[in-house]
Amino acid sequence: MATPNPTSMALSSSSSNFLSLPRTATCISFPLKRPLLHPKPRLSLNSLASPDLDPSLPSNVHTFWEWLRQEGLVSSKTHVKPAIFPEGLGLATTKDLSKNEVVLEVPKRFWINPDAVANSEIGNVCSGLKPWISVALFLIRENFKEDSRWRRYLDILPQETDSTVFWSEEELAELQGTQLLSTTLNVKEYVKSEFHKVEEIILRHKDLFPTPITLDDFFWAFGILRSRAFSRLRGQNLVLIPFADLVNHSADVTSEEHAWEVKGPAGLFSWDILFSLRSPISVKAGEQVFIQYDLKKSNADLALDYGFVESKPDRNAYTLTLEIPESDPFYDDKLDIAETNGLGETAYFDIVLDRPFPDAMLPFLRLLALGGTDAFLLESLFRNSIWGHLEMPVSRANEEFVCQVVRNACEVALSGYRTTLEEDEKLKEEKLDSRLRIAVGIREGEKRVLQQIIKIFKDRELELDELEYYQERRLKDLGLCGEQGEIIFWESK
């Protein structure tokens, strides 16, 4: 997933400088489901008003609907139609729907995906490109063509969403101190670098790309794919599906299952693969059909991918990056132990509001803090059992050091925001534009998670004298320590 850039904490027994630059976004993964739409349609002089739709809808939405009808995408199994809702352009039901009932189907020949690119005029020149880049170039090229077979679909696509990649510098300033700001800037740099790589191909094939493609065009295509593309379909990793991608997200839909499926040819007269969209909940006629985009995404992910945030506490997350510093005298031993237990030199832990810490986080913290008289645990004798020891407090010094390091790093992170939590709470009561509301929501959520982390480790410090550490556990195992922690001695006869 697109993860927020973390506060980086490099723990060692000889250093207390734990805040460093956020990690760079080196891999872009596309969302699993649809965007929140903010359509800015281009008007068409040839638009037709459909009697099936609300006459107040933009003319090109009417034209899009007529195109769907002419192409046979509106059938007896189509129980939705375009309509405007507070979320933007969405799908309204034409009848009462039961849970998991099919609302529309779209044949594969209307999908925009790497296969469509491969079968197009630019297929050969795009064959060695990353799938999303080839689809982006295809999308841009088709958008320049007035006679594109997807013209009616392209005309209803938004020019931008509220995704943070489209925010101005002034709007991004509202994200000061947040991990989302770092992520957004890294993603924008990534897109720019990928554009510069394909510029040579575009210029070399002016016969295929007669209209100059700009960085803004490339960002537009990136934003469309980031927000609208379905992925993890059967045999499909990245695909735009006209009509189906009008479906909006709702936090009230708490399951991702059964919202869609890909159907293969069925029966003697069925020759096309179909994308079938279902309603995950029962819906009354005239109401909007919703799906759940992704239960695992944080508010930062939702803001980056789609341009909205939710009010649910468990959408608020903060990523801690823990790193074994190369300057650590036990670097090789610690790295070996980390790799043996499925981690590496750097580990990322997503802390979710009101949720327990990830299982491996505390053991990894204790490993990073190992030093001094506790370093004996790093010897090869303990290599197969050390992780089990790290799952429990090692020593008072080790546990105290972990608590102080985490608290200090979180307090430094809190000092980087331009507002306080109280100021954000007050702002939320005001009428804000959509992007400022997102910024306030992100700031508030991150601060709540940071404060939660600080409180947990502060409370932990108050319990240090009551915890049981490795030496005490070991003496108990040997029968040399009583239940109250007292050392047992035997007098010789």
Side-chain angles (χ1 to χ4, degrees):
M1 71 179 181
T3 55
N5 278 331
T7 289
S8 183
M9 302 160 59
L11 276 164
S12 74
S13 57
S14 60
S15 172
S16 59
N17 181 18
F18 309 117
L19 197 66
S20 64
L21 293 175
R23 80 174 187 257
T24 301
T26 55
C27 178
I28 300 296
S29 60
F30 284 90
L32 303 183
K33 298 149 194 110
R34 301 341 53 218
L36 182 72
L37 302 178
H38 300 277
K40 297 181 180 179
R42 297 188 303 182
L43 295 178
S44 170
L45 295 177
N46 297 320
S47 299
L48 300 173
S50 171
D52 298 337
L53 303 184
D54 185 333
S56 65
L57 282 171
S59 58
N60 48 2
V61 176
H62 283 270
T63 305
F64 172 66
W65 180 247
E66 288 305 312
W67 175 71
L68 293 177
R69 293 170 62 89
Q70 292 168 10
E71 295 290 345
L73 297 182
V74 179
S75 68
S76 60
K77 290 188 177 181
T78 304
H79 304 307
V80 288
K81 62 183 180 181
I84 293 293
F85 296 94
E87 295 81 10
L89 188 60
L91 295 174
T93 62
T94 57
K95 67 162 198 165
D96 290 350
L97 295 175
S98 58
K99 182 178 179 180
N100 295 331
E101 185 171 353
V102 173
V103 299
L104 63 82
E105 292 182 334
V106 179
K108 187 176 181 180
R109 64 184 183 275
F110 293 101
W111 302 0
I112 299 176
N113 61 358
D115 289 341
V117 180
N119 294 326
S120 72
E121 294 177 328
I122 64 172
N124 289 335
V125 301
C126 291
S127 61
L129 300 177
K130 296 174 183 177
W132 82 262
I133 294 177
S134 66
V135 177
L137 291 178
F138 177 83
L139 197 62
I140 295 167
R141 186 173 183 270
E142 292 298 313
N143 198 34
F144 286 147
K145 294 166 57 178
E146 286 302 323
D147 61 347
S148 170
R149 66 170 301 194
W150 286 280
R151 178 75 274 149
R152 305 310 181 197
Y153 167 65
L154 294 168
D155 281 348
I156 69 164
L157 293 180
Q159 296 305 301
E160 62 180 37
T161 68
D162 276 339
S163 164
T164 52
V165 298
F166 295 113
W167 288 21
S168 67
E169 290 187 10
E170 182 180 359
E171 290 167 334
L172 287 174
E174 295 292 342
L175 293 174
Q176 179 181 315
T178 68
Q179 294 186 326
L180 177 56
L181 176 60
S182 299
T183 304
T184 300
L185 296 177
N186 285 331
V187 168
K188 293 183 73 170
E189 283 301 314
Y190 169 81
V191 175
K192 287 180 184 178
S193 67
E194 293 299 324
F195 174 70
H196 293 320
K197 291 177 186 177
V198 299
E199 268 189 305
E200 183 180 344
I201 295 175
I202 296 169
L203 294 173
R204 197 166 60 240
H205 296 279
K206 288 186 177 180
D207 55 324
L208 297 176
F209 300 98
T211 304
I213 295 178
T214 67
L215 179 59
D216 286 341
D217 295 326
F218 201 63
F219 263 106
W220 170 79
F222 173 82
I224 291 297
L225 293 176
R226 184 88 183 184
S227 63
R228 302 177 76 96
F230 288 83
S231 61
R232 295 205 310 199
L233 299 177
R234 188 178 65 187
Q236 300 291 327
N237 293 321
L238 178 66
V239 53
L240 288 173
I241 302 181
F243 194 18
D245 65 358
L246 294 183
V247 67
N248 283 320
H249 163 90
S250 173
D252 294 331
V253 178
T254 57
S255 173
E256 299 174 37
E257 298 179 358
H258 310 303
W260 63 80
E261 63 178 326
V262 174
K263 298 179 179 178
L268 181 63
F269 300 103
S270 178
W271 57 275
D272 210 345
I273 294 174
L274 298 173
F275 174 89
S276 180
L277 181 69
R278 300 174 180 272
S279 175
I281 58 176
S282 299
V283 184
K284 294 293 184 181
E287 295 180 349
Q288 184 173 188
V289 172
F290 290 106
I291 63 171
Q292 169 61 238
Y293 288 178
D294 195 329
L295 289 170
K296 296 178 181 178
K297 287 187 181 294
S298 68
N299 268 334
D301 297 326
L302 295 176
L304 179 67
D305 293 342
Y306 310 114
F308 69 88
V309 294
E310 283 186 9
S311 59
K312 288 190 173 182
D314 58 4
R315 290 289 193 182
N316 296 317
Y318 200 91
T319 303
L320 295 183
T321 299
L322 307 179
E323 183 178 19
I324 307 172
E326 292 186 6
S327 59
D328 191 315
F330 305 106
Y331 173 83
D332 290 334
D333 289 321
K334 291 181 180 181
L335 180 58
D336 180 50
I337 293 167
E339 291 177 342
T340 300
N341 290 277
L343 299 169
E345 178 183 23
T346 304
Y348 306 101
F349 297 99
D350 295 329
I351 315 301
V352 180
L353 190 63
D354 297 335
R355 295 278 183 88
F357 289 146
D359 291 340
M361 192 181 90
L362 282 176
F364 195 70
L365 278 164
R366 292 171 181 139
L367 173 67
L368 299 184
L370 274 183
T373 58
D374 296 324
F376 71 92
L377 287 171
L378 296 170
E379 296 176 5
S380 57
L381 174 67
F382 295 93
R383 196 53 47 98
N384 294 327
S385 61
I386 185 172
W387 200 257
H389 296 310
L390 293 172
E391 289 178 339
M392 296 176 282
V394 174
S395 68
R396 193 186 193 286
N398 179 276
E399 200 74 4
E400 183 176 25
F401 186 68
V402 165
C403 292
Q404 291 176 351
V405 163
V406 176
R407 283 201 304 108
N408 290 341
C410 291
E411 287 167 357
V412 169
L414 275 175
S415 68
Y417 296 94
R418 64 187 298 170
T419 56
T420 65
L421 179 58
E422 292 71 25
E423 288 172 333
D424 286 336
E425 290 174 337
K426 187 175 180 179
L427 276 171
K428 286 182 67 176
E429 299 173 359
E430 300 178 10
K431 187 175 182 179
L432 308 174
D433 67 58
S434 57
R435 294 184 178 182
L436 181 54
R437 182 164 294 279
I438 290 170
V440 172
I442 293 294
R443 295 194 311 241
E444 179 194 23
E446 287 192 6
K447 291 169 193 172
R448 290 192 182 281
V449 177
L450 286 168
Q451 288 187 350
Q452 171 183 285
I453 298 171
I454 290 171
K455 184 178 187 306
I456 289 173
F457 281 94
K458 190 173 183 178
D459 290 345
R460 185 75 167 176
E461 280 188 272
L462 297 176
E463 300 171 353
L464 291 176
D465 291 335
E466 303 171 14
L467 299 179
E468 184 178 76
Y469 300 105
Y470 170 79
Q471 293 291 2
E472 186 178 342
R473 294 193 300 270
R474 180 62 177 157
L475 289 173
K476 281 186 177 181
D477 290 341
L478 296 174
L480 300 177
C481 184
E483 290 300 322
Q484 303 301 318
E486 72 279 7
I487 304 298
I488 299 175
F489 293 95
W490 286 269
E491 294 181 2
S492 57
K493 293 183 180 179

